[in-house]
Amino acid sequence: MGPWGGMPGSWKRATILAIGLGLILILFPLYRLDPNRVVRGTAVFFLDLVGSWGLAAVGFLTWGAVLVLAFGFAAPAVVAVWGLLGLWGLPGLVGQQLVPMGMRLSPELGFWALHIWLLLPLLLDERRRRWPLHLALWGFVLGVLAFQSGSPLSIFVELRSQQNRLLAELVQHLLLSGTSLAVALLLALPLGVAAARTIWGGWVYSLSGLIQTVPTLALLGLLMVPLSGLARLFPTLRAWGLSGIGSAPAVAALAIYALLPLMSGIREGLRAVPPQVREAARGLGLSEWQLFWKVEVPLSLPLVLAGLRTAVVQNLGNAALAPLIGAGGLGYFIFQGIGQTSADMVLLGVLPLLMLTLGADVLLRLLEGAQSERRGHVRAGL
Amino acid sequence: MSELVFEQVHYTYGSIPAITDLSFSVERGEFVVLIGPSGCGKTTTLKLVNRLLEPTRGRILLRGQDLSTFDPVALRRSMGYVIQDVGLFPHWRVEDNIAAVPRLLKWPRERIRDRVREMLALVGLDPEAYRRKFPHQLSGGEAQRVGIARALAADPPLLLMDEPFGALDPLQRARHQRFLRAIQAKVRKTVLMVTHDLDEAILLADRMLVMNQGRAVQFDSPEAILRSPNNAFVRRFVGTDRSLKRLIRLPVTCCMAAVHPLRLGSDSLEDNGRVWGWVVDEQDRFVGWINFEDTERERWHDAVTPLSWEECATPETNLKDALSMMLALGLKHLPVLDDLGRLVGELNLPTIESLLREDSLES
């Protein structure tokens, strides 16, 4: 029996978690007090906070410990929510009076290290449950939004100054993704069915696989030439907004990229329909139309939805490249931030993007889960 | 009028002839088994009947009418179809699977519901227990029964079956063969069944169509084919044990002898000239047998040699199985027990031997 002898596993984990938290809090600076966006200021350690914010920080830790004891079974999730809320929310809650007017608190090494340390137990959950992770992330998002007004945390300072722009780029991002996905879906439905059944459909499928190997950036560039050519040839199209740069090539490129996961979902879904089920359906007297709608569509749905999820997540991420050809979107803040070496600006683009992707993933997974439950775990069937 | 007639039907698959000059007719209510080595065209023949395939040449008549004049989809709805892999719709419950064809035929809802229950009961599955299950919750045998219920649901006059028991283990297969015979006795359909299992064909068929390389080789009753195979292929196919195989169609009850067992507790051992006897208990349940020689009269109860149920026949056992049991166990007499374990008769080796001799004399 080792030094942990007799201790239940959850307590072992809780102890390791607590020791790690303590070490990070003591050794690494959490924030940096900067006079403005460019000039680097002085590091702020947790112990400094206990000194200046005093009661608030200690109270926060105590309340956290109480929570852990109360929610023993969900402890990692509760600790994560509480810790993240503290990191993001405390500056807004008590920091306004303590941070001099016009100065800002930038996240430092300890800030990010704590994120990893707090979320790791949820990511490594041995029962492969996903809900604690989602609980932590969404609880954190809502909590942070509640505390952000007047917060001296640099990301919120940036957010306040860019609020209108952020909203506009978010809408533009959603428009780019939504339009391109709609176009891709319209194309992929017939093409995916054709890919499963016909030779030429197989060729289109291989072609979309080939396009997938072209880097997204290069595809955006390649599309500029034919689209600007089209706009020159047909003035009506130009009047509708078609040109070599802007939304048109971005939507086209994103749609082409989304084609492969969508098509392969439909193709694999249809190919996974057992041949004997198809033969029985025909033999019983289902027409080809009935065979498709009553048997093939419902049986292929789980794989079609999986393809849709891949396409949506990938599409939201790819759309971040759109600003490069003047199409805007959340990528705007990423490229602006890189240009100005402002990490806060980059985060302003990355964090909403992360939430969009995770949100879409969760919703589509729920849909898939509901499907397979309703269909009585079709894959296990005969 | 014959239910189904093949007139010089040819079917070529690409350039390979799968069916060549096939002519035969099936009467209403007849159970016809198509049999032959794999690749002989038996499954192709079946698919020509429900027009999953179309003949290259020749024609097929259903109740006197050319098959090609029917709408294929409507035609298939009027025929039951059972395949080896069952092919139940995995996303539908058992009741929806069975209701498939009635729904396509737009039967009223209540009639469909009643029919589903009736069909489940017919195939020996409790309607309430099985109605709401999904196919993946069924065993192989249960799934195949649901497949048969689905095929029979719209009460089609013609039933097509392609190796329906091919995926079952030998024990299950024997059970389902008996069970199919019982169903057929009730519903009296015209059945066209494909198999490569000769014993199954002999047991079930009214007539067997032996096929080889896309041609019909012999079409006759199992007895006739076993007695007089009409060429070298059939003789080889039915094997050298064909007189034994004839016994498959005969149940034990056809030559069972009456018995006068000793009853434990009541009977006393008398000298009746025999050297041994069967023993039953007070409720007539079978216990075993006893050797009269060197047995003390007063203590005969202790001298009974028990026999397990595996060493006994039932009235449904066929003579071939009974014979192989006798040979394997070294018994000249086999007890026959009913469902409750009561002794109903015995089977004697000399009787079977004389039956086999008669056969060989005839042929």
Side-chain angles (χ1 to χ4, degrees), chain B residues 225-240:
Chain B
I225 287 178
L226 290 169
R227 191 180 303 127
S228 43
N230 68 0
N231 68 16
F233 169 78
V234 182
R235 201 169 302 126
R236 213 169 48 243
F237 186 74
V238 299
T240 45

mmCIF file with all atom_site columns, all heavy atoms in Angstrom, chain B residues 225-240:
data_model
loop_
_atom_site.group_PDB
_atom_site.id
_atom_site.type_symbol
_atom_site.label_atom_id
_atom_site.label_alt_id
_atom_site.label_comp_id
_atom_site.label_asym_id
_atom_site.label_entity_id
_atom_site.label_seq_id
_atom_site.pdbx_PDB_ins_code
_atom_site.Cartn_x
_atom_site.Cartn_y
_atom_site.Cartn_z
_atom_site.occupancy
_atom_site.B_iso_or_equiv
_atom_site.pdbx_formal_charge
_atom_site.auth_seq_id
_atom_site.auth_comp_id
_atom_site.auth_asym_id
_atom_site.auth_atom_id
_atom_site.pdbx_PDB_model_num
ATOM 1   N N   . ILE B 1 225 ? -37.990 -39.472 -56.454 1.00 0.00 ? 225 ILE B N   1
ATOM 2   C CA  . ILE B 1 225 ? -36.608 -39.103 -56.796 1.00 0.00 ? 225 ILE B CA  1
ATOM 3   C C   . ILE B 1 225 ? -35.620 -40.001 -56.064 1.00 0.00 ? 225 ILE B C   1
ATOM 4   O O   . ILE B 1 225 ? -34.635 -40.463 -56.629 1.00 0.00 ? 225 ILE B O   1
ATOM 5   C CB  . ILE B 1 225 ? -36.361 -37.617 -56.473 1.00 0.00 ? 225 ILE B CB  1
ATOM 6   C CG1 . ILE B 1 225 ? -37.086 -36.747 -57.502 1.00 0.00 ? 225 ILE B CG1 1
ATOM 7   C CG2 . ILE B 1 225 ? -34.864 -37.298 -56.480 1.00 0.00 ? 225 ILE B CG2 1
ATOM 8   C CD1 . ILE B 1 225 ? -36.967 -35.267 -57.267 1.00 0.00 ? 225 ILE B CD1 1
ATOM 9   N N   . LEU B 1 226 ? -35.914 -40.314 -54.798 1.00 0.00 ? 226 LEU B N   1
ATOM 10  C CA  . LEU B 1 226 ? -35.006 -41.168 -54.028 1.00 0.00 ? 226 LEU B CA  1
ATOM 11  C C   . LEU B 1 226 ? -35.047 -42.595 -54.552 1.00 0.00 ? 226 LEU B C   1
ATOM 12  O O   . LEU B 1 226 ? -34.028 -43.287 -54.591 1.00 0.00 ? 226 LEU B O   1
ATOM 13  C CB  . LEU B 1 226 ? -35.388 -41.142 -52.547 1.00 0.00 ? 226 LEU B CB  1
ATOM 14  C CG  . LEU B 1 226 ? -35.106 -39.822 -51.834 1.00 0.00 ? 226 LEU B CG  1
ATOM 15  C CD1 . LEU B 1 226 ? -35.759 -39.805 -50.469 1.00 0.00 ? 226 LEU B CD1 1
ATOM 16  C CD2 . LEU B 1 226 ? -33.606 -39.593 -51.710 1.00 0.00 ? 226 LEU B CD2 1
ATOM 17  N N   . ARG B 1 227 ? -36.236 -43.043 -54.961 1.00 0.00 ? 227 ARG B N   1
ATOM 18  C CA  . ARG B 1 227 ? -36.373 -44.421 -55.411 1.00 0.00 ? 227 ARG B CA  1
ATOM 19  C C   . ARG B 1 227 ? -35.728 -44.593 -56.786 1.00 0.00 ? 227 ARG B C   1
ATOM 20  O O   . ARG B 1 227 ? -34.984 -45.520 -57.014 1.00 0.00 ? 227 ARG B O   1
ATOM 21  C CB  . ARG B 1 227 ? -37.855 -44.818 -55.462 1.00 0.00 ? 227 ARG B CB  1
ATOM 22  C CG  . ARG B 1 227 ? -38.061 -46.315 -55.677 1.00 0.00 ? 227 ARG B CG  1
ATOM 23  C CD  . ARG B 1 227 ? -39.545 -46.649 -55.726 1.00 0.00 ? 227 ARG B CD  1
ATOM 24  N NE  . ARG B 1 227 ? -40.249 -46.213 -54.526 1.00 0.00 ? 227 ARG B NE  1
ATOM 25  C CZ  . ARG B 1 227 ? -41.338 -45.448 -54.539 1.00 0.00 ? 227 ARG B CZ  1
ATOM 26  N NH1 . ARG B 1 227 ? -41.848 -45.022 -55.683 1.00 0.00 ? 227 ARG B NH1 1
ATOM 27  N NH2 . ARG B 1 227 ? -41.924 -45.102 -53.408 1.00 0.00 ? 227 ARG B NH2 1
ATOM 28  N N   . SER B 1 228 ? -36.027 -43.630 -57.680 1.00 0.00 ? 228 SER B N   1
ATOM 29  C CA  . SER B 1 228 ? -35.479 -43.799 -59.029 1.00 0.00 ? 228 SER B CA  1
ATOM 30  C C   . SER B 1 228 ? -34.938 -42.489 -59.586 1.00 0.00 ? 228 SER B C   1
ATOM 31  O O   . SER B 1 228 ? -35.621 -41.805 -60.329 1.00 0.00 ? 228 SER B O   1
ATOM 32  C CB  . SER B 1 228 ? -36.556 -44.348 -59.969 1.00 0.00 ? 228 SER B CB  1
ATOM 33  O OG  . SER B 1 228 ? -37.783 -43.680 -59.741 1.00 0.00 ? 228 SER B OG  1
ATOM 34  N N   . PRO B 1 229 ? -33.726 -42.133 -59.156 1.00 0.00 ? 229 PRO B N   1
ATOM 35  C CA  . PRO B 1 229 ? -33.074 -40.959 -59.741 1.00 0.00 ? 229 PRO B CA  1
ATOM 36  C C   . PRO B 1 229 ? -32.895 -41.175 -61.243 1.00 0.00 ? 229 PRO B C   1
ATOM 37  O O   . PRO B 1 229 ? -32.514 -42.273 -61.647 1.00 0.00 ? 229 PRO B O   1
ATOM 38  C CB  . PRO B 1 229 ? -31.724 -40.906 -59.031 1.00 0.00 ? 229 PRO B CB  1
ATOM 39  C CG  . PRO B 1 229 ? -31.630 -42.089 -58.167 1.00 0.00 ? 229 PRO B CG  1
ATOM 40  C CD  . PRO B 1 229 ? -32.897 -42.853 -58.212 1.00 0.00 ? 229 PRO B CD  1
ATOM 41  N N   . ASN B 1 230 ? -33.228 -40.149 -62.053 1.00 0.00 ? 230 ASN B N   1
ATOM 42  C CA  . ASN B 1 230 ? -33.278 -40.433 -63.488 1.00 0.00 ? 230 ASN B CA  1
ATOM 43  C C   . ASN B 1 230 ? -31.960 -40.243 -64.219 1.00 0.00 ? 230 ASN B C   1
ATOM 44  O O   . ASN B 1 230 ? -31.906 -40.409 -65.424 1.00 0.00 ? 230 ASN B O   1
ATOM 45  C CB  . ASN B 1 230 ? -34.429 -39.692 -64.167 1.00 0.00 ? 230 ASN B CB  1
ATOM 46  C CG  . ASN B 1 230 ? -34.198 -38.192 -64.175 1.00 0.00 ? 230 ASN B CG  1
ATOM 47  O OD1 . ASN B 1 230 ? -33.176 -37.734 -63.661 1.00 0.00 ? 230 ASN B OD1 1
ATOM 48  N ND2 . ASN B 1 230 ? -35.128 -37.450 -64.743 1.00 0.00 ? 230 ASN B ND2 1
ATOM 49  N N   . ASN B 1 231 ? -30.913 -39.815 -63.549 1.00 0.00 ? 231 ASN B N   1
ATOM 50  C CA  . ASN B 1 231 ? -29.603 -39.865 -64.226 1.00 0.00 ? 231 ASN B CA  1
ATOM 51  C C   . ASN B 1 231 ? -28.476 -39.881 -63.192 1.00 0.00 ? 231 ASN B C   1
ATOM 52  O O   . ASN B 1 231 ? -28.722 -39.839 -61.987 1.00 0.00 ? 231 ASN B O   1
ATOM 53  C CB  . ASN B 1 231 ? -29.442 -38.707 -65.228 1.00 0.00 ? 231 ASN B CB  1
ATOM 54  C CG  . ASN B 1 231 ? -29.342 -37.347 -64.539 1.00 0.00 ? 231 ASN B CG  1
ATOM 55  O OD1 . ASN B 1 231 ? -29.099 -37.262 -63.339 1.00 0.00 ? 231 ASN B OD1 1
ATOM 56  N ND2 . ASN B 1 231 ? -29.549 -36.302 -65.318 1.00 0.00 ? 231 ASN B ND2 1
ATOM 57  N N   . ALA B 1 232 ? -27.266 -39.889 -63.695 1.00 0.00 ? 232 ALA B N   1
ATOM 58  C CA  . ALA B 1 232 ? -26.101 -40.035 -62.815 1.00 0.00 ? 232 ALA B CA  1
ATOM 59  C C   . ALA B 1 232 ? -25.969 -38.861 -61.857 1.00 0.00 ? 232 ALA B C   1
ATOM 60  O O   . ALA B 1 232 ? -25.609 -39.046 -60.693 1.00 0.00 ? 232 ALA B O   1
ATOM 61  C CB  . ALA B 1 232 ? -24.827 -40.166 -63.661 1.00 0.00 ? 232 ALA B CB  1
ATOM 62  N N   . PHE B 1 233 ? -26.296 -37.631 -62.340 1.00 0.00 ? 233 PHE B N   1
ATOM 63  C CA  . PHE B 1 233 ? -26.153 -36.459 -61.467 1.00 0.00 ? 233 PHE B CA  1
ATOM 64  C C   . PHE B 1 233 ? -27.066 -36.555 -60.249 1.00 0.00 ? 233 PHE B C   1
ATOM 65  O O   . PHE B 1 233 ? -26.636 -36.381 -59.118 1.00 0.00 ? 233 PHE B O   1
ATOM 66  C CB  . PHE B 1 233 ? -26.448 -35.166 -62.237 1.00 0.00 ? 233 PHE B CB  1
ATOM 67  C CG  . PHE B 1 233 ? -26.580 -33.986 -61.313 1.00 0.00 ? 233 PHE B CG  1
ATOM 68  C CD1 . PHE B 1 233 ? -25.449 -33.379 -60.783 1.00 0.00 ? 233 PHE B CD1 1
ATOM 69  C CD2 . PHE B 1 233 ? -27.830 -33.510 -60.930 1.00 0.00 ? 233 PHE B CD2 1
ATOM 70  C CE1 . PHE B 1 233 ? -25.558 -32.321 -59.920 1.00 0.00 ? 233 PHE B CE1 1
ATOM 71  C CE2 . PHE B 1 233 ? -27.954 -32.450 -60.051 1.00 0.00 ? 233 PHE B CE2 1
ATOM 72  C CZ  . PHE B 1 233 ? -26.811 -31.857 -59.548 1.00 0.00 ? 233 PHE B CZ  1
ATOM 73  N N   . VAL B 1 234 ? -28.345 -36.867 -60.494 1.00 0.00 ? 234 VAL B N   1
ATOM 74  C CA  . VAL B 1 234 ? -29.289 -36.952 -59.382 1.00 0.00 ? 234 VAL B CA  1
ATOM 75  C C   . VAL B 1 234 ? -28.876 -38.066 -58.434 1.00 0.00 ? 234 VAL B C   1
ATOM 76  O O   . VAL B 1 234 ? -28.930 -37.914 -57.210 1.00 0.00 ? 234 VAL B O   1
ATOM 77  C CB  . VAL B 1 234 ? -30.733 -37.169 -59.890 1.00 0.00 ? 234 VAL B CB  1
ATOM 78  C CG1 . VAL B 1 234 ? -31.709 -37.198 -58.725 1.00 0.00 ? 234 VAL B CG1 1
ATOM 79  C CG2 . VAL B 1 234 ? -31.121 -36.086 -60.876 1.00 0.00 ? 234 VAL B CG2 1
ATOM 80  N N   . ARG B 1 235 ? -28.426 -39.196 -59.005 1.00 0.00 ? 235 ARG B N   1
ATOM 81  C CA  . ARG B 1 235 ? -28.029 -40.317 -58.162 1.00 0.00 ? 235 ARG B CA  1
ATOM 82  C C   . ARG B 1 235 ? -26.885 -39.889 -57.249 1.00 0.00 ? 235 ARG B C   1
ATOM 83  O O   . ARG B 1 235 ? -26.884 -40.161 -56.056 1.00 0.00 ? 235 ARG B O   1
ATOM 84  C CB  . ARG B 1 235 ? -27.595 -41.497 -59.050 1.00 0.00 ? 235 ARG B CB  1
ATOM 85  C CG  . ARG B 1 235 ? -27.649 -42.841 -58.328 1.00 0.00 ? 235 ARG B CG  1
ATOM 86  C CD  . ARG B 1 235 ? -27.469 -44.001 -59.306 1.00 0.00 ? 235 ARG B CD  1
ATOM 87  N NE  . ARG B 1 235 ? -28.469 -43.989 -60.364 1.00 0.00 ? 235 ARG B NE  1
ATOM 88  C CZ  . ARG B 1 235 ? -28.181 -44.003 -61.668 1.00 0.00 ? 235 ARG B CZ  1
ATOM 89  N NH1 . ARG B 1 235 ? -26.916 -44.015 -62.070 1.00 0.00 ? 235 ARG B NH1 1
ATOM 90  N NH2 . ARG B 1 235 ? -29.135 -43.982 -62.565 1.00 0.00 ? 235 ARG B NH2 1
ATOM 91  N N   . ARG B 1 236 ? -25.921 -39.161 -57.824 1.00 0.00 ? 236 ARG B N   1
ATOM 92  C CA  . ARG B 1 236 ? -24.794 -38.687 -57.020 1.00 0.00 ? 236 ARG B CA  1
ATOM 93  C C   . ARG B 1 236 ? -25.279 -37.658 -55.998 1.00 0.00 ? 236 ARG B C   1
ATOM 94  O O   . ARG B 1 236 ? -24.849 -37.641 -54.852 1.00 0.00 ? 236 ARG B O   1
ATOM 95  C CB  . ARG B 1 236 ? -23.739 -38.077 -57.948 1.00 0.00 ? 236 ARG B CB  1
ATOM 96  C CG  . ARG B 1 236 ? -22.322 -38.278 -57.430 1.00 0.00 ? 236 ARG B CG  1
ATOM 97  C CD  . ARG B 1 236 ? -21.271 -37.925 -58.464 1.00 0.00 ? 236 ARG B CD  1
ATOM 98  N NE  . ARG B 1 236 ? -21.488 -36.660 -59.114 1.00 0.00 ? 236 ARG B NE  1
ATOM 99  C CZ  . ARG B 1 236 ? -21.727 -36.514 -60.421 1.00 0.00 ? 236 ARG B CZ  1
ATOM 100 N NH1 . ARG B 1 236 ? -21.788 -37.586 -61.205 1.00 0.00 ? 236 ARG B NH1 1
ATOM 101 N NH2 . ARG B 1 236 ? -21.912 -35.329 -60.940 1.00 0.00 ? 236 ARG B NH2 1
ATOM 102 N N   . PHE B 1 237 ? -26.195 -36.791 -56.461 1.00 0.00 ? 237 PHE B N   1
ATOM 103 C CA  . PHE B 1 237 ? -26.641 -35.705 -55.588 1.00 0.00 ? 237 PHE B CA  1
ATOM 104 C C   . PHE B 1 237 ? -27.405 -36.232 -54.376 1.00 0.00 ? 237 PHE B C   1
ATOM 105 O O   . PHE B 1 237 ? -27.203 -35.768 -53.259 1.00 0.00 ? 237 PHE B O   1
ATOM 106 C CB  . PHE B 1 237 ? -27.497 -34.718 -56.373 1.00 0.00 ? 237 PHE B CB  1
ATOM 107 C CG  . PHE B 1 237 ? -27.875 -33.496 -55.577 1.00 0.00 ? 237 PHE B CG  1
ATOM 108 C CD1 . PHE B 1 237 ? -26.935 -32.509 -55.313 1.00 0.00 ? 237 PHE B CD1 1
ATOM 109 C CD2 . PHE B 1 237 ? -29.154 -33.338 -55.081 1.00 0.00 ? 237 PHE B CD2 1
ATOM 110 C CE1 . PHE B 1 237 ? -27.263 -31.394 -54.573 1.00 0.00 ? 237 PHE B CE1 1
ATOM 111 C CE2 . PHE B 1 237 ? -29.499 -32.227 -54.326 1.00 0.00 ? 237 PHE B CE2 1
ATOM 112 C CZ  . PHE B 1 237 ? -28.550 -31.254 -54.082 1.00 0.00 ? 237 PHE B CZ  1
ATOM 113 N N   . VAL B 1 238 ? -28.286 -37.206 -54.592 1.00 0.00 ? 238 VAL B N   1
ATOM 114 C CA  . VAL B 1 238 ? -29.049 -37.718 -53.451 1.00 0.00 ? 238 VAL B CA  1
ATOM 115 C C   . VAL B 1 238 ? -28.226 -38.683 -52.612 1.00 0.00 ? 238 VAL B C   1
ATOM 116 O O   . VAL B 1 238 ? -28.570 -38.988 -51.485 1.00 0.00 ? 238 VAL B O   1
ATOM 117 C CB  . VAL B 1 238 ? -30.381 -38.399 -53.868 1.00 0.00 ? 238 VAL B CB  1
ATOM 118 C CG1 . VAL B 1 238 ? -31.283 -37.408 -54.566 1.00 0.00 ? 238 VAL B CG1 1
ATOM 119 C CG2 . VAL B 1 238 ? -30.125 -39.601 -54.738 1.00 0.00 ? 238 VAL B CG2 1
ATOM 120 N N   . GLY B 1 239 ? -27.091 -39.146 -53.172 1.00 0.00 ? 239 GLY B N   1
ATOM 121 C CA  . GLY B 1 239 ? -26.152 -39.915 -52.359 1.00 0.00 ? 239 GLY B CA  1
ATOM 122 C C   . GLY B 1 239 ? -26.471 -41.387 -52.319 1.00 0.00 ? 239 GLY B C   1
ATOM 123 O O   . GLY B 1 239 ? -27.545 -41.843 -52.729 1.00 0.00 ? 239 GLY B O   1
ATOM 124 N N   . THR B 1 240 ? -25.520 -42.147 -51.769 1.00 0.00 ? 240 THR B N   1
ATOM 125 C CA  . THR B 1 240 ? -25.676 -43.594 -51.727 1.00 0.00 ? 240 THR B CA  1
ATOM 126 C C   . THR B 1 240 ? -26.643 -44.018 -50.627 1.00 0.00 ? 240 THR B C   1
ATOM 127 O O   . THR B 1 240 ? -27.114 -45.135 -50.601 1.00 0.00 ? 240 THR B O   1
ATOM 128 C CB  . THR B 1 240 ? -24.319 -44.268 -51.481 1.00 0.00 ? 240 THR B CB  1
ATOM 129 O OG1 . THR B 1 240 ? -23.676 -43.530 -50.434 1.00 0.00 ? 240 THR B OG1 1
ATOM 130 C CG2 . THR B 1 240 ? -23.460 -44.258 -52.706 1.00 0.00 ? 240 THR B CG2 1
#
